Amino acid sequence: MDGHAHNPCYFGRGKLHVSAPLRADGTQGVEGAQPLLPAGELRLPPGRFVGNAKGLSIVPQLARLATSAWDARDNLIVQAVEATVQLYGHGGANLALALQALRSRPGSVPVTERHAVSRANVEAGSMLFVRHLVDVRQPVTVTPSWTTWTEGMGWEREAFGVRLLAGFAGPVGGHIDIAYTPEGSAESLDAFGADGRELGLSYTGLNAHDGRPVRLDCWRAAPALDGGVQPISESAGTLTLKFALRPVRAPQQDRPAWFRMQRGQYQ
């Protein structure tokens, strides 16, 4: 056996897929995608791959009722169930998932944006930001309404907009038009979209020690934004996402279900 198999950091790595969540009654919410399932069985619809995962952990928060010692009924109450997953890298799909953001990719079509600078006193070194990332290899023009500027003397292009090399005092009604071409491979995330959106999660992987498969399905997972996200880090590292799991009740079953785990028998 390879020596690194004994190192805990090699255990539990796999892949994460997201899909539409199940309804509270255990049925699929995707129109036309509800398969013919045996009574009482839960199944998520097809999932989209969002990244390699270091692991997915489930932490239930339980409360125990005060009952008599001779009462044989179950006295545990599940107050909440939390899930935490660590994804490698900071891809756009991962951040959109974490922030409940609208992910878009602008086309490489020239656009013009107008900045109102009426009566504005702007110092040298200031930035005029534009909505999209600028393709600095394509032509960029800056046209004030009251004068003429030359690139390299009055301004210089950057990926995020135009940096002014000289200050100005905008006249009444003055504006500046910036024409540029958006970077076609860039991604834009408009967050936060905290609208109670839920996801279905499927984590699949292998235990590197014995090669046994592991799978965990979460039927209804709502991204928990209070944990925060660090989109810019000093290292590649991992992106930690937190979710609040919500229960479903499968047909012909009395107990609610938050998730299902499958794994091979250990040797």
Side-chain angles (χ1 to χ4, degrees), residues 36-37 53 59 76-77 88 94 102 107 116-117 124 127 130 142 151 156 159 165 170 206-207 217 229 234 250-251 265:
L36 296 177
L37 298 178
V59 181
L76 285 179
I77 296 179
Y88 292 113
N94 296 341
L102 176 62
V117 293
M127 283 288 298
V130 293
V142 179
E151 183 175 7
E156 61 182 5
L165 301 179
L206 292 175
N207 187 315
D217 292 335
V229 176
E234 294 182 357
Q265 181 65 38

Side-chain angles (χ1 to χ4, degrees), residues 150-186:
T150 303
E151 183 175 7
M153 297 182 61
W155 60 275
E156 61 182 5
R157 66 181 71 183
E158 290 191 2
F160 303 102
V162 173
R163 182 173 299 279
L164 300 179
L165 301 179
F168 68 88
V172 176
H175 63 265
I176 299 176
D177 290 335
I178 303 177
Y180 68 98
T181 301
E183 174 62 55
S185 61

Side-chain angles (χ1 to χ4, degrees), residues 25-245:
D25 60 1
T27 59
Q28 294 184 6
V30 180
E31 183 178 356
Q34 178 65 33
L36 296 177
L37 298 178
E41 182 175 338
L42 300 174
R43 181 184 300 170
L44 288 172
R48 176 175 60 89
F49 174 72
V50 295
N52 295 320
K54 190 175 182 179
L56 179 62
S57 61
I58 303 293
V59 181
Q61 297 180 5
L62 305 177
R64 187 178 297 274
L65 298 177
T67 58
S68 302
W70 54 83
D71 192 341
R73 293 177 298 176
D74 188 5
N75 62 350
L76 285 179
I77 296 179
V78 180
Q79 293 182 326
V81 180
E82 297 179 351
T84 302
V85 62
Q86 291 183 317
L87 292 175
Y88 292 113
H90 299 154
N94 296 341
L95 282 178
L97 173 66
L99 302 176
Q100 301 190 33
L102 176 62
R103 182 186 181 196
S104 61
R105 177 174 292 177
S108 298
V109 179
V111 297
T112 300
E113 296 183 14
R114 173 163 294 185
H115 291 252
V117 293
S118 177
R119 298 180 179 179
N121 292 318
V122 181
E123 299 179 352
S126 300
M127 283 288 298
L128 296 178
F129 293 101
V130 293
R131 176 169 176 76
H132 306 291
L133 286 179
V134 179
D135 187 347
V136 295
R137 299 167 299 181
Q138 302 296 328
V140 179
T141 60
V142 179
T143 307
S145 60
W146 67 94
T147 185
T148 300
W149 286 352
T150 303
E151 183 175 7
M153 297 182 61
W155 60 275
E156 61 182 5
R157 66 181 71 183
E158 290 191 2
F160 303 102
V162 173
R163 182 173 299 279
L164 300 179
L165 301 179
F168 68 88
V172 176
H175 63 265
I176 299 176
D177 290 335
I178 303 177
Y180 68 98
T181 301
E183 174 62 55
S185 61
E187 293 181 335
S188 178
L189 299 178
D190 292 336
F192 294 90
D195 54 358
R197 185 169 64 99
E198 297 178 352
L199 302 167
L201 301 179
S202 291
Y203 171 79
T204 59
L206 292 175
N207 187 315
H209 180 67
D210 55 18
R212 298 293 182 174
V214 179
R215 175 182 168 187
L216 183 65
D217 292 335
C218 300
W219 310 123
R220 299 171 60 196
L225 302 181
D226 55 353
V229 176
Q230 186 179 10
I232 300 178
S233 175
E234 294 182 357
S235 61
T238 59
L239 178 64
T240 301
L241 307 181
K242 295 183 179 181
F243 300 90
L245 302 189

